[in-house]
Amino acid sequence: MSEGVSTRPLLLEIGVEELPAGMQPRLAAELESALQAALREHDLLGEGPARTYSTPRRLAVFCPAVAERQPDREVEHRGPPVSAAFDDSGNPTKAATGFAGRFGVGPEDLERRATDGGEYLFFTEQQTGRGAMEVLGEILPQVIEGLPVPKRMRWGDQEWGFARPIHWLLALFGEDVVPFEVGGISSDRFTRGHRYHAPDPVHLDAADDGEYRGLLHEAFVEADPTERRRQIEAEIRNQAERAGGRIPQGDLIEGLLEEVSGLVEWPVPFTGGFDEKFLELPKEVLVTSMEKHQKFFPVEDGDGGLLPTFVGVANIDSKDPEALRAGHDRVLRARLEDARFFWAEDRKRPLAERVDALKHVVFQAKLGTLFDKAERLAVLAPAVTEAFDPSVASLAERAGWLAKADLLTDMVDEFDNLQGIMGGYYATADGEDPQVAAALAEQYRPGHAKDRLPETATGTALAIADRLDTMVGCFGIGLEPTGTKDPFALRRAAIGVQRMAIEKGIHLDLPDLLGRAFGAFGDRLERSREETVNAVIDFLNDRLEPMYTEAVGQPVYRDVVAGAEQVTAEQGAGAVAGPDKNQVAAILSLRPTDPFDAHLRLKGLLALLAHPNAEALIAANKRIGNILRKAEEEVPEGYDAEALTEAEERALAEAFEGVRPRFQAAVEAGDYTTALLALAELREPADRFFDAVLVMAEDDAVRRNRLALLGTIHAAFLRVADLSKLPG
């Protein structure tokens, strides 16, 4: 937008029935983005950041400066080629007159202009800018109707739908209402306050951000979600302290804060409690009852143990706070009584006695029942232990057999997010080995990218086995993820396997383990063993790139950068950049079958790239690759050192043989940093070789021997990484 143009603020609010908490941030961001894009497209967007607001009953965006009218502008239109616009006598054809007629001018008013594609007719149209009110009346309904809503609700006789029925539309451009209609609702200058405390319309004189927030605040609405969350967090922590405890830290509490902030417009925290007898229940049961079902914040003591207290957040300033508190206490007590009953009843029957009943629970129609899965895990979990701790093989077998038994307990039926966790508690009550109980509790870790890993060897083996079994089964019947569809969470499973292998330093032989997993399915799978195993390995490798290029600061990322930082410090160089797609591709192009080994290779590659010789060495390696690729003859596998005639080629061979033992020993030990840094010593002799030696000599024997020397060096690099994938 040009300087000096008159502007006015714009305020748009969509008033709706209660929006789900998780939907509000995304829709508010989409509304801001779509509105600014539309204003920018129509040359109306002025300076200053937009501000968004959201509550369960509204989505709003405020733009501080919108031009009062579009600028006048010149628009060039290209017409037909001159060869088609005029006949042999130079008279305009229908192509020329038709093009000119579109703009109300004659062919003589058109301009001939040479382009790369030949000479064409052009017309420069002078477009007069339109008033903002007219343009806004068109684009605001388009912005609202274009918001990405996954599942639309319809109301009345409207064919168009939104996330929830719309009840009002506020659209002010300065002091004026922008007239339009969406979903049968006409825009106006009023918003609405709290549903119970201030249900009447609240009129605004103008699009004023401060007035908007102030009037809503008087009407018991805090429109700013960030401020609403801040108020909630401060007050719940204050109330927890007054109750003699504290609100726990962690992702669950952060998620609950975000959710509760989206459930209320006028947050009123309160403190409640429950009978101490319920503290006999597992902590996770109490926390789930409070957080998941009632949206209450648990309160813990200084040692992390739960207190019989909680903090809730009401959406109403009750005239009788004690009655409100008592009502919430009763609801929670009823849930805890149910949980206490489940806890007592479930322990009357050991997990081992429940396994047989898994025959009646289908895992997947083609893959069999959960009993079938338990049998497979009892075989695959001990096989995984061979990679890092064979001493727990028998424990892993037992854990695999019992892994899914808790799915048949009443507690997990009621609190499905406690699967595995309750298995651990019940296994302990049954007298199972502590490692088996821990494995059952840890088997679903990590549940997300930042989740904790299993702590025990048995739990790690079971967690890896469970994921590999599911991936092999799904890929074996063609159920691999497509687009956004991933019903068996295979992407998350793959990342979990990669994280456990890399962060715990476990060398997994994927072809062997996946082959064993395939065999355990018998004749259930539709694809061949080779096809299935290869597909799963490729799928796992595809998950590696984002782990390094997007998960900045996570353990896998930090570790792979650490080696390069050490080399940089030793060389006195600058800061180390994290791995990029090309560097990861240099490893993945070798199609690794051991995630931790691939990690060590990438770590070594970054260390090499931090070395001063890296750039020249990569260029030399690419040059070698190009020479070998263009050679129209078979390159011998080994070279004859005695047949090397030039001093520079002998020097290169001697330098390579000098580092070769160190390189090979490092590769065999998985120390790819040392291996590649050894090859970095070849930079100077390689430079001298290419300056002085003609590789493609006319003498066949000389040429083939030089190609063999270069092929040997090139093969050494390829034992670690494919440097041709790097730029330069």
Side-chain angles (χ1 to χ4, degrees):
M1 190 178 72
S2 304
E3 294 183 5
V5 175
S6 297
T7 64
R8 297 191 226 168
L10 172 68
L11 177 61
L12 173 66
E13 181 189 68
I14 309 169
V16 294
E17 289 186 11
E18 277 71 9
L19 281 170
M23 196 179 288
Q24 294 165 32
R26 181 175 58 82
L27 279 180
E30 292 283 357
L31 178 62
E32 176 190 2
S33 175
L35 179 57
Q36 290 201 95
L39 293 173
R40 189 179 297 110
E41 179 184 351
H42 290 82
D43 291 326
L44 291 175
L45 185 62
E47 298 295 326
R51 289 187 284 277
T52 59
Y53 302 100
S54 62
T55 76
R57 300 181 67 214
R58 74 201 70 235
L59 298 167
V61 60
F62 173 79
C63 296
V66 174
E68 293 188 343
R69 67 178 303 104
Q70 295 174 316
D72 297 339
R73 58 180 180 172
E74 293 184 346
V75 180
E76 288 189 343
H77 302 275
R78 189 173 81 167
V82 171
S83 59
F86 299 94
D87 60 21
D88 294 339
S89 301
N91 297 314
T93 64
K94 288 184 178 180
T97 56
F99 176 62
R102 285 171 49 193
F103 308 104
V105 299
E108 66 277 6
D109 297 314
L110 303 177
E111 175 189 357
R112 296 188 182 199
R113 191 182 304 172
T115 70
D116 292 340
E119 191 176 18
Y120 281 80
L121 291 181
F122 281 82
F123 179 73
T124 302
E125 181 186 12
Q126 303 296 325
Q127 288 188 351
T128 302
R130 300 161 64 200
M133 287 291 285
E134 179 185 357
V135 178
L136 290 172
E138 296 174 0
I139 67 174
L140 293 186
Q142 293 172 2
V143 165
I144 296 172
E145 292 170 352
L147 289 175
V149 177
K151 191 173 183 180
R152 296 180 180 272
M153 295 181 65
R154 292 172 175 81
W155 59 95
D157 58 357
Q158 297 295 316
E159 294 186 4
W160 178 80
F162 194 56
R164 292 294 184 271
I166 295 177
H167 285 266
W168 74 88
L169 292 167
L170 181 152
L172 288 174
F173 182 47
E175 297 179 353
D176 299 321
V177 174
V178 180
F180 65 90
E181 182 179 302
V182 169
I185 305 296
S186 297
S187 57
D188 211 319
R189 63 169 62 250
F190 70 84
T191 180
R192 290 186 182 274
H194 193 280
R195 181 183 292 278
Y196 303 111
H197 290 310
D200 295 332
V202 177
H203 288 262
L204 274 74
D205 294 326
D208 184 293
D209 186 42
E211 181 187 21
Y212 173 72
R213 284 193 59 188
L215 288 175
L216 281 178
H217 197 269
E218 292 176 5
F220 298 90
V221 173
E222 176 49 67
D224 185 342
T226 303
E227 174 60 21
R228 205 162 57 245
R229 174 183 166 133
R230 188 200 65 76
Q231 293 175 7
I232 292 171
E233 182 170 13
E235 187 55 28
I236 63 171
R237 296 197 184 281
N238 287 338
Q239 295 207 16
E241 289 179 10
R242 288 198 293 270
R246 66 188 182 193
I247 301 295
Q249 301 290 338
D251 292 341
L252 285 176
I253 294 298
E254 291 299 312
L256 184 58
L257 267 172
E258 194 70 29
E259 183 177 9
V260 170
S261 297
L263 293 174
V264 299
E265 291 195 310
W266 190 250
V268 182
F270 62 92
T271 302
F274 53 88
D275 196 304
E276 289 190 9
K277 69 180 181 181
F278 295 119
L279 293 176
E280 299 173 359
L281 292 170
K283 180 178 180 179
E284 293 86 349
V285 173
L286 294 169
V287 169
T288 297
S289 297
M290 287 185 272
E291 290 184 354
K292 184 177 180 181
H293 293 152
Q294 302 306 126
K295 312 305 177 188
F296 295 158
F297 294 88
V299 179
E300 64 181 18
D301 59 26
D303 297 324
L306 287 181
L307 296 176
T309 304
F310 65 85
V311 179
V313 181
N315 188 36
I316 188 172
D317 199 352
S318 176
K319 295 179 180 179
D320 190 350
E322 287 302 320
L324 181 143
R325 181 181 298 108
H328 284 292
D329 286 353
R330 282 195 301 273
V331 173
L332 179 60
R333 185 185 309 116
R335 284 206 171 272
L336 295 182
E337 287 287 5
D338 288 343
R340 191 162 178 255
F341 174 78
F342 298 149
W343 175 240
E345 290 299 306
D346 286 342
R347 287 180 296 163
K348 292 178 180 178
R349 186 180 179 195
L351 287 178
E353 293 183 8
R354 298 177 184 271
V355 175
D356 196 60
L358 292 173
K359 293 177 180 178
H360 306 294
V361 183
V362 175
F363 171 60
Q364 199 281 334
K366 294 181 180 180
L367 301 180
T369 65
L370 285 178
F371 180 84
D372 298 320
K373 188 172 182 67
E375 287 189 314
R376 295 194 300 270
L377 292 180
V379 174
L380 190 57
V384 173
T385 67
E386 296 172 13
F388 62 101
D389 191 354
S391 68
V392 299
S394 61
L395 297 174
E397 178 182 0
R398 181 66 174 174
W401 178 247
L402 298 175
K404 307 305 174 185
D406 71 335
L407 296 176
L408 297 179
T409 63
D410 290 334
M411 188 74 83
V412 173
D413 185 56
E414 178 70 14
F415 304 97
D416 58 359
N417 63 305
L418 296 183
Q419 60 181 341
I421 294 172
M422 293 312 303
Y425 280 110
Y426 292 141
T428 299
D430 294 344
E432 297 285 350
D433 188 284
Q435 278 247 19
V436 172
L440 300 188
E442 296 172 342
Q443 64 180 299
Y444 297 106
R445 295 188 204 164
H448 52 81
K450 297 181 181 180
D451 196 11
R452 294 178 299 157
L453 301 183
E455 296 176 9
T456 65
T458 309
T460 300
L462 177 58
I464 291 174
D466 191 13
R467 288 160 173 79
L468 294 183
D469 174 81
T470 300
M471 283 190 282
V472 167
C474 289
F475 274 82
I477 59 173
L479 284 182
E480 58 265 43
T482 56
T484 58
K485 295 182 179 179
D486 187 8
F488 287 88
L490 299 185
R491 294 186 181 96
R492 187 170 63 199
I495 292 173
V497 170
Q498 303 284 30
R499 280 193 59 201
M500 285 184 278
I502 294 170
E503 293 182 35
K504 289 180 172 288
I506 300 172
H507 285 285
L508 295 177
D509 184 346
L510 288 178
D512 175 64
L513 289 173
L514 295 173
R516 295 199 208 187
F518 183 92
F521 279 95
D523 59 358
R524 291 183 180 275
L525 304 185
E526 300 167 353
R527 293 178 172 176
S528 69
R529 175 191 180 111
E530 181 180 5
E531 183 182 5
T532 302
V533 169
N534 287 338
V536 175
I537 289 175
D538 290 341
F539 181 72
L540 283 162
N541 284 340
D542 287 344
R543 309 276 79 74
L544 277 176
E545 183 192 296
M547 288 180 64
Y548 292 109
T549 59
E550 298 174 12
V552 176
Q554 295 303 307
V556 170
Y557 175 92
R558 291 198 304 268
D559 184 68
V560 82
V561 172
E565 290 177 337
Q566 181 178 350
V567 173
T568 300
E570 293 171 355
Q571 300 294 330
V576 174
D580 61 27
K581 292 183 178 181
N582 294 321
Q583 293 155 7
V584 178
I587 305 301
L588 295 184
S589 66
L590 303 182
R591 202 168 178 274
T593 58
D594 174 350
F596 183 53
D597 185 72
H599 174 79
L600 294 176
R601 289 170 184 269
L602 183 59
K603 190 173 182 178
L605 178 59
L606 259 66
L608 172 66
L609 295 175
H611 195 280
N613 289 349
E615 186 175 351
L617 196 64
I618 291 170
N621 182 74
K622 286 193 173 185
R623 187 171 180 180
I624 292 173
N626 290 334
I627 291 172
L628 295 173
R629 187 167 55 254
K630 293 178 181 179
E632 297 179 355
E633 56 189 301
E634 184 177 349
V635 178
E637 290 187 5
Y639 68 93
D640 181 359
E642 297 298 325
L644 298 173
T645 58
E646 300 291 338
E648 289 79 8
E649 61 183 334
R650 290 197 302 272
L652 177 59
E654 290 170 2
F656 176 68
E657 294 301 334
V659 302
R660 195 174 198 173
R662 190 160 24 112
F663 169 79
Q664 290 181 334
V667 168
E668 290 169 5
D671 183 0
Y672 299 109
T673 298
T674 297
L676 285 175
L677 291 179
L679 294 182
E681 297 175 22
L682 301 180
R683 177 212 165 169
E684 291 185 6
D687 287 346
R688 290 195 296 269
F689 173 88
F690 284 117
D691 288 341
V693 177
L694 176 64
V695 177
M696 304 305 288
E698 292 185 6
D699 185 290
D700 289 348
V702 172
R703 182 181 64 254
R704 287 171 59 80
N705 199 41
R706 288 172 180 171
L707 287 172
L709 170 61
L710 296 181
T712 302
I713 295 173
H714 193 251
F717 277 101
L718 284 175
R719 290 188 65 186
V720 181
D722 183 359
L723 301 188
S724 70
K725 300 296 182 181
L726 303 178

